Amino acid sequence: MASIQITNLSKTYPGASGPSVADINLSIRDGEFIVLVGPSGCGKSTLLRMVAGLEDITGGEIHIGDRLVNRVDPADRDIAMVFQNYALYPHMTVRENMAYGLKNRKTPAAEIEARVAEAARMLELRPYLDRKPRALSGGQRQRVAMGRAVVRQPAAFLFDEPLSNLDAKLRVSMRGEIRRLQKRLGTTSLYVTHDQLEAMTLADRLVVLNGGRIEQIGAPLDIYHRPASTFVASFIGAPAMNLLDAEIAGGTLRLGTVEIARIATAAQGPVSLGIRAEDLSIATQGLPFRLDFIEELGAQRLVHGHVEGQPLTLSLSPDIAISDQMHLAIRPGALHLFDTNTGKRLSLPESERQQIHAPA
Amino acid sequence: MNRTNLIDHAVLILATLFMVLPVLVAIMTSTHTAVDIHSNGLFLTPAGHGAETYAAVLTRQGGFTGQVTGTRMMINSLILGVGFAVGKIVLSMLAAYALVYFRFRLATVMFWIIFTTLLLPLEVRIMPSYQVMSELGLLNSYTGLIVPLLASATGTFYFRQFFKSVPDELLEAARIDGAGPFKFLIDVLIPLSKTMMAAIFIIMFVYGWNQYLWPMLMTTDERFFTLMRGIKQILQVWVGSQIPDYNEAFALAVLALAPPVLVVVVFQRWFIKGLTESDK
């Protein structure tokens, strides 16, 4: 068990024009569950693999506990990794798979057996201990992979998209299992995923990566409610946050011809306006909305349409009647403003905003 | 799937006969006496002289020195075949391991150099090889028979392709599990390439077993004669009015056929797996 300290970390692959990962500063507390999330190619796996020692570090430092591990062999970093495709040794039984790492570390046989038995009990793998991986289902294989990590009792778990190869239903239940296991063992964990839902549900803290850089670090709900940029806003949350081209003129936020809110700011000019789908509701007056189509999700429905020529999605309860032309109201305090050029969040004190229900 | 019909079967039966008949003729003919064969030609029916012919072939001292028996030749052939197969597997596996898993300069160049030697048959380099062995004083020895032919581009190529198909995560998992390069080879790669090894073993065993030119050059001492040479030897005794020992030649041919067939039968399940299955 240990903290992980990442300082100014960067990685440039030989022959590449720019760094794949740059300026990473991250401090992970002991026992914390950190999820690295981002679209494919954002460098999240590279970052994880550098912590694991599977990729060389171009610049910066990684400390696990008090130890600088930049040049330490993966085997000696006291970490265990769970891979996307499980990476179980196909010719070994479940028991041998779990014991292999311990055997290589010259752990006494009695202790290996005890630890494997304990992990098997915890992960409900006892009936399968003498089977080969190919005789197991995807979920069971993933549990074996986790068991292999657990028996090592490492300072940190590293998960590289461990649930991507499972079907949707299994993914949800395994997600719960990983969370429960981590809580119970209290082992520091670093988890990579491209699935924002997985990220939201698992993380103590989320790290959103984009283009090899950290876009935002924070607790899942903080990030959800206060995304630091348009990228984070559109990446975290399903459906994605609506981003509309709006304008501030004379202390008023306008969307096309419609006035949305009064804002006490000296700023002028175009901004990106972000609104979550669930922060919109149907009203007798407000934003004029033209319906395109509806996606039924059961508990709710996603209504897609246009406002002032810009696409917009809202999430409504299925029992609300819908017509082709409607007016929308925005929940007070649910506006997110972003700089149009940089995409960065514009912070405006909540009290200075005032909702207007302007006539259409 | 189509229903099989008469023509399908006829084609298969014809093809099978085409392959099997010559072997059958050899087996049947070897049970007749030499005189019988000389006057009546080949046979498709058995006769009663099989046991004595095979016993004679296996135990009678022959050759110029009168010291070499069929059994001796068979043992020599086996040593050559197994030595070849095992040696080639070990050597080409190690070469492929280095090529795939170790990043060193010129690895690709080396691979292509090895690969191009596939194009050169043994006959091209047979004189230099002989020269080297002769100067090392290895003529008339098993070492001299086996070692010069051990380098195998085919084997290296097969193992390289196989190692490349092993997922990288397996190597990474092993690294995190604390397995060094040697342990990874022994604990993971070798168990995984069992089928591959079986396939190469068959190919190389048959190749070694069937060697004719190289043993003929390398060995003058009859104690090192292989079966392939023995068959030739028997037919060379066409002197005067003596009838060649056709029956013994056929018996030797059948004996020469048996071990490779046995190897193929035993290993064939793995063999097919090894050549077709890319993962695991």
Side-chain angles (χ1 to χ4, degrees), chain A residues 49 53 74-75 79 81 83 85 87-91 100-101 104-105 152, chain B residues 167 169-170 172-179 183-184 187-188 191-192 280:
Chain A
R49 292 164 56 82
I79 43 119
M81 189 154 167
F83 295 88
N85 64 1
L88 300 175
Y89 310 115
H91 57 291
Y100 187 63
N104 287 338
R105 287 179 174 72
R152 292 261 318 279
Chain B
E169 282 87 352
L170 221 50
E172 290 168 355
R175 280 181 68 191
I176 291 176
D177 269 345
K183 256 195 138 71
F184 178 66
D187 287 349
V188 180
L192 284 183
K280 274 172 226 152

Side-chain angles (χ1 to χ4, degrees), chain A residues 250-261:
Chain A
T252 310
L253 177 67
R254 299 171 156 278
L255 182 64
T257 55
V258 187
E259 288 189 0
I260 304 237

Side-chain angles (χ1 to χ4, degrees), chain B:
Chain B
M1 245 186 5
N2 289 331
R3 295 220 337 250
T4 51
N5 58 32
L6 217 64
I7 296 173
D8 295 342
H9 278 291
V11 169
L12 282 177
I13 289 169
L14 264 177
T16 313
L17 284 180
F18 187 72
M19 306 292 280
V20 170
L21 267 181
V23 179
L24 202 65
V25 167
I27 294 173
M28 289 309 170
T29 310
S30 68
T31 60
H32 291 257
T33 60
V35 182
D36 206 1
I37 300 166
H38 194 63
S39 45
N40 295 323
L42 300 174
F43 292 90
L44 258 175
T45 50
H49 302 281
E52 59 199 72
T53 309
Y54 281 93
V57 164
L58 281 173
T59 55
R60 197 190 54 218
Q61 315 250 312
F64 296 115
T65 53
Q67 277 180 346
V68 60
T69 64
T71 320
R72 180 78 246 168
M73 289 193 282
M74 203 146 178
I75 290 170
N76 285 342
S77 282
L78 271 178
I79 290 173
L80 200 61
V82 173
F84 256 33
V86 172
K88 282 197 179 213
I89 287 174
V90 171
L91 205 65
S92 52
M93 182 135 102
L94 291 177
Y97 184 55
L99 283 173
V100 175
Y101 288 102
F102 292 84
R103 241 170 285 145
F104 55 96
R105 257 189 289 179
L106 301 180
T108 321
V109 177
M110 298 240 198
F111 171 71
W112 285 109
I113 291 173
I114 293 174
F115 193 67
T116 38
T117 61
L118 260 182
L119 305 172
L120 298 177
L122 166 69
E123 286 74 12
V124 175
R125 58 179 173 95
I126 204 156
M127 285 323 289
S129 293
Y130 178 83
Q131 174 85 19
V132 170
M133 285 302 115
S134 147
E135 285 184 7
L136 287 173
L138 287 172
L139 297 182
N140 285 321
S141 72
Y142 291 122
T143 319
L145 269 175
I146 294 171
V147 170
L149 303 188
L150 281 190
S152 165
T154 326
T156 310
F157 179 70
Y158 274 136
F159 275 113
R160 174 181 178 266
Q161 296 311 97
F162 175 73
F163 288 165
K164 278 187 173 267
S165 77
V166 172
D168 287 342
E169 282 87 352
L170 221 50
L171 171 68
E172 290 168 355
R175 280 181 68 191
I176 291 176
D177 269 345
F182 189 67
K183 256 195 138 71
F184 178 66
L185 177 70
I186 301 285
D187 287 349
V188 180
L189 278 185
I190 290 182
L192 284 183
S193 42
K194 262 192 228 145
T195 53
M196 198 69 216
M197 279 159 35
I200 294 183
F201 184 86
I202 294 187
I203 297 173
M204 295 310 171
F205 176 81
V206 173
Y207 177 76
W209 181 269
N210 286 338
Q211 277 300 317
Y212 177 68
L213 184 62
W214 181 247
M216 193 158 83
L217 273 174
M218 281 299 294
T219 53
T220 46
D221 187 332
E222 286 190 331
R223 281 177 303 141
F224 293 102
F225 276 18
T226 60
L227 265 185
M228 295 303 138
R229 295 196 61 182
I231 297 170
K232 183 78 172 36
Q233 213 72 32
I234 282 174
L235 290 175
Q236 267 171 353
V237 289
W238 200 303
V239 275
S241 61
Q242 196 178 352
I243 298 170
D245 293 326
Y246 292 120
N247 55 341
E248 293 186 5
F250 276 119
L252 266 182
V254 170
L255 286 178
L257 196 72
V261 169
L262 212 67
V263 166
V264 171
V265 167
V266 169
F267 284 98
Q268 78 141 349
R269 210 164 48 90
W270 296 334
F271 175 73
I272 293 168
K273 257 188 172 173
L275 289 187
T276 55
E277 201 177 84
S278 57
D279 60 339
K280 274 172 226 152

